[in-house]
Amino acid sequence: MCGARRRGDEPSVSDRERYEGLLYRVLRRCSANLDLGVTLEEALNQTIEALGAERGSLFLLDPAERVIRRIGAQPGIGEDEFDRRVERVVAEGLAGWAIRHRQVALAADTQQDERWYHFPEDLAEAGSAIAVPLVHGGEVVGVMTLQHSQRGFFSADDAALAEAVAAQVAIAVTNARLHDAARRDRRVLLDLLAALPDPVLLIDLEGRVVRANERARLLLGTGIVGRPLRAAVDSPEVVEAFQAVVEQGAPQTVEVELGEGRCFDVALVPVVHLGVVLRLHDVTRLRRLDELKSQVVAAVSHDLRSPLAYVQGFAETLAEEEDLSDVARQCVEGILAGARRMYALIDDLLDLARIEEGSSRVEEACELASMVDAVVGDLARRMEAKEQSVEIDVPADLPSLQMGSLDLQRVLTNLIDNAVKYTQVKGHIRVTARRVGEGVRVSVADDGPGIPAEAQGRLFERFYRASSEGEGTGLGLSIVRALVERQGGRVGFESEVGKGSTFWFWLPWAAPGASVS
Ligand code: ADP
């Protein structure tokens, strides 16, 4: 690897060609080769050769500028000794100077140059040397050193060329690091996907399965990758939900049956640049338990009605007695109040069981404005007792809603009754209805205490009560939701503590002359 150049002159045409050739080769190597070790070694060797150096080395540094990798050896020196020397020159030698100053260092005569670190044991020291930092994006990622035994061997042009090569190598080092980091991240993601207990698919925006974890392949078949979603998952609801995610850019969930009666909760989440992630969670056991629980609750509730009727009947008969002592009368009234609450609970439970089971009453679709008036009229005495005011803003010309009158009465009663129940004395309640899309949105707003954020996610759960104030079963809102959703409607609320709550539901218009089930 000996140089064949004249020393001390301006670079000749052939020198320049050689420089350009070197740069071109280094550039090509750096961009073509992702194996950093090979790239660095070749870049170093070619620079040594082109500059006619006798020796060279290249060290890579971590962000704290500690050497993490070295290329090039020093003949006759063992590994440990070499490491010690590397540490020294990076701390105190020419290489260290180049790193700290982020610029090329040319020591034309090492004997005269204070930046050169002299190892006392060295008999044949370098006469001249170049150290050049590998800088990318302001960070020093390494340092390359070239040596020759002859003093004045390297020129300023050599230093400039070494600098140009170093810039290319620095880019290659940075790219290789980014590539390594990307590969590591990809591995982590794949491991994570494999470790998930649920089947997970990645679908591209054209609706094709591009990735599937082991569990997804076990459930849906080994050949699903590459197939359209509709062929991979046998469920029109899932395909529909996928379309909705693509069109609206918002997550969707659906519950579907797949395979032999297995029930899955399917969540579809859009991921920018990737497509849609689809997660299937097996809820078969939960659904069976839920069904069983509903059946037991319905059966027990039903069977409780007759003994309760006895309790109420006997208590009412007793209450009619004139010569009851005050204590006895209080007890009888207590029994009657308790029986009324039990009736309310049993009715709620039976209703919920009926709605969830899907059995229905066929009724005429009804007119909203008069129903709101009727429900508010029924609750008027309770509002008066609490000195609450009520405002109704329901246009009379709204089309009929897709809900029978008994169910609509139930929905309105539950929402307005809650507003009355949870709003303080002298509070204000407002019932409004507006056309929204192909239906009507009805809101019941109050200026009551509002609902704390931590309770808001659970309000529609069965038996959930956010406060122990007032009498209630915790079933009212579950019934509202079940009734509204059964007709293709939606429910929701906004609430702020100290300001009040607005519960709303949206129902589609009824088809003209239709009966509603
Ligand atoms: P409940 O029989 O307890 O009224 P619901 O299902 O109707 O059961 O309501 C669930 C819980 O939601 C209630 O216990 C109450 O804490 C809260 N809630 C409902 N409506 C209101 C409202 N208008 N203002 C404040 N809290 C409310």
Side-chain angles (χ1 to χ4, degrees):
M1 286 195 281
C2 233
R5 273 189 320 134
R6 282 175 296 123
R7 300 277 102 200
D9 296 338
E10 282 295 296
S12 66
V13 173
S14 65
D15 274 343
R16 214 168 281 135
E17 278 168 4
R18 192 198 299 262
Y19 288 179
E20 281 165 8
L22 167 65
L23 259 187
Y24 171 71
R25 285 193 303 278
V26 170
L27 190 64
R28 215 183 48 186
R29 274 279 147 214
C30 290
S31 50
N33 209 329
L34 283 172
D35 182 340
L36 191 58
V38 175
T39 303
L40 296 179
E41 204 155 336
E42 287 196 15
L44 177 64
N45 287 339
Q46 298 211 9
T47 315
I48 291 175
E49 192 176 343
L51 296 188
E54 289 170 344
R55 273 205 308 263
S57 55
L58 202 157
F59 311 142
L60 292 189
L61 307 175
D62 68 9
E65 296 182 355
R66 282 181 307 241
V67 176
I68 45 170
R69 188 164 177 181
R70 55 180 171 75
I71 313 283
Q74 222 167 337
I77 294 179
E79 290 282 304
D80 289 350
E81 174 58 10
F82 192 33
D83 281 343
R84 193 184 65 79
R85 283 176 163 245
V86 168
E87 215 173 275
R88 192 85 328 189
V89 296
V90 166
E92 297 174 54
L94 196 67
W97 188 94
I99 293 169
R100 285 192 300 281
H101 291 81
R102 285 166 167 56
Q103 74 186 62
V104 62
L106 168 63
D109 181 354
T110 56
Q111 293 301 320
Q112 307 297 323
D113 201 313
E114 284 183 354
R115 299 170 298 179
W116 185 257
Y117 185 85
H118 298 275
F119 289 96
E121 67 274 20
D122 274 1
L123 298 175
E125 254 199 330
S128 55
I130 294 174
V132 57
L134 314 181
V135 187
H136 186 74
E139 190 197 342
V140 184
V141 295
V143 62
M144 178 162 69
T145 309
L146 303 153
Q147 298 178 21
H148 199 282
S149 51
Q150 197 182 310
R151 289 182 206 165
F153 181 81
F154 295 117
S155 66
D157 284 327
D158 293 333
L161 181 69
E163 219 176 354
V165 170
Q168 296 307 325
V169 177
I171 294 173
V173 171
T174 311
N175 283 346
R177 282 186 181 166
L178 289 174
H179 179 72
D180 272 359
R183 215 167 37 189
R184 258 197 318 272
D185 285 353
R186 189 166 171 273
R187 192 64 264 158
V188 169
L189 279 181
L190 288 179
D191 288 349
L192 200 72
L193 205 61
L196 286 177
D198 287 335
V200 176
L201 303 175
L202 175 63
I203 320 290
D204 67 15
L205 292 177
E206 274 74 53
R208 207 164 274 281
V209 179
V210 285
R211 219 166 251 297
N213 69 355
E214 185 59 28
R215 287 185 186 263
R217 286 197 291 265
L218 272 177
L219 176 73
L220 303 165
T222 44
I224 48 169
V225 174
R227 282 208 205 148
L229 177 63
R230 68 172 60 79
V233 182
D234 181 19
S235 157
E237 291 97 326
V238 170
V239 177
E240 229 170 76
F242 171 77
Q243 296 299 355
V245 175
V246 173
E247 279 157 27
Q248 298 159 21
Q252 303 275 332
T253 46
V254 277
E255 203 170 294
V256 294
E257 261 190 36
L258 291 174
E260 287 132 23
R262 280 167 75 189
C263 196
F264 287 89
D265 176 64
V266 184
L268 298 103
V269 182
V271 182
V272 187
H273 304 312
L274 277 183
V276 175
V277 172
L278 189 152
R279 192 268 290 131
L280 297 121
H281 181 58
D282 192 340
V283 289
T284 316
R285 255 190 82 229
L286 275 180
R287 286 297 155 268
R288 293 217 176 108
L289 279 176
D290 223 30
E291 267 166 36
L292 197 66
K293 193 178 77 184
S294 297
Q295 283 164 8
V296 171
V297 167
V300 171
S301 312
H302 187 264
D303 291 353
L304 275 177
R305 268 185 149 267
S306 355
L308 193 59
Y310 285 119
V311 172
Q312 193 174 22
F314 287 132
E316 277 168 357
T317 313
L318 257 181
E320 280 161 17
E321 288 293 311
E322 279 170 11
D323 50 356
L324 281 184
S325 70
D326 285 351
V327 175
R329 188 160 298 285
Q330 260 180 10
C331 291
V332 171
E333 273 162 15
I335 292 170
L336 280 171
R340 268 196 301 276
R341 287 190 61 189
M342 276 178 82
Y343 261 125
L345 180 60
I346 287 171
D347 284 348
D348 279 355
L349 284 169
L350 287 174
D351 266 1
L352 205 54
R354 172 180 64 81
I355 299 161
E356 283 175 350
E357 185 186 290
S359 60
S360 49
R361 300 182 282 234
V362 176
E363 303 168 44
E364 283 300 303
C366 82
E367 206 256 308
L368 182 67
S370 52
M371 182 58 85
V372 171
D373 286 342
V375 170
V376 170
D378 286 347
L379 295 168
R381 275 185 49 202
R382 290 191 34 221
M383 289 189 209
E384 276 160 25
K386 288 181 89 174
E387 297 175 62
Q388 291 166 334
S389 60
V390 62
E391 189 186 334
I392 300 174
D393 177 9
V394 180
D397 59 349
L398 289 175
S400 300
L401 296 179
Q402 173 73 22
M403 183 175 272
S405 53
L406 284 177
D407 287 347
L408 187 61
Q409 183 185 25
R410 190 75 195 260
V411 168
L412 286 168
T413 304
N414 280 358
L415 294 184
I416 303 174
D417 180 65
N418 275 353
V420 175
K421 195 160 58 179
Y422 296 110
T423 301
Q424 67 285 359
V425 171
K426 292 193 168 42
H428 186 72
I429 295 162
R430 184 178 150 92
V431 185
T432 34
R434 292 285 176 272
R435 287 168 192 255
V436 174
E438 304 273 285
V440 174
R441 179 177 153 127
V442 183
S443 310
V444 179
D446 62 58
D447 58 357
I451 296 153
E454 62 276 14
Q456 292 193 5
R458 304 193 53 194
L459 284 197
F460 288 96
E461 276 178 28
R462 273 184 269 181
F463 300 111
Y464 183 77
R465 302 201 67 217
S467 82
S468 48
E469 296 269 311
E471 287 184 1
T473 59
L475 288 171
L477 291 177
S478 324
I479 291 174
V480 168
R481 182 162 76 175
L483 286 171
V484 170
E485 288 185 350
R486 200 175 62 157
Q487 301 298 349
R490 293 188 298 275
V491 289
F493 68 94
E494 290 92 42
S495 185
E496 203 178 323
V497 172
K499 293 214 163 141
S501 313
T502 301
F503 282 81
W504 58 265
F505 64 92
W506 176 91
L507 278 171
W509 301 328
S515 298
V516 183
S517 61

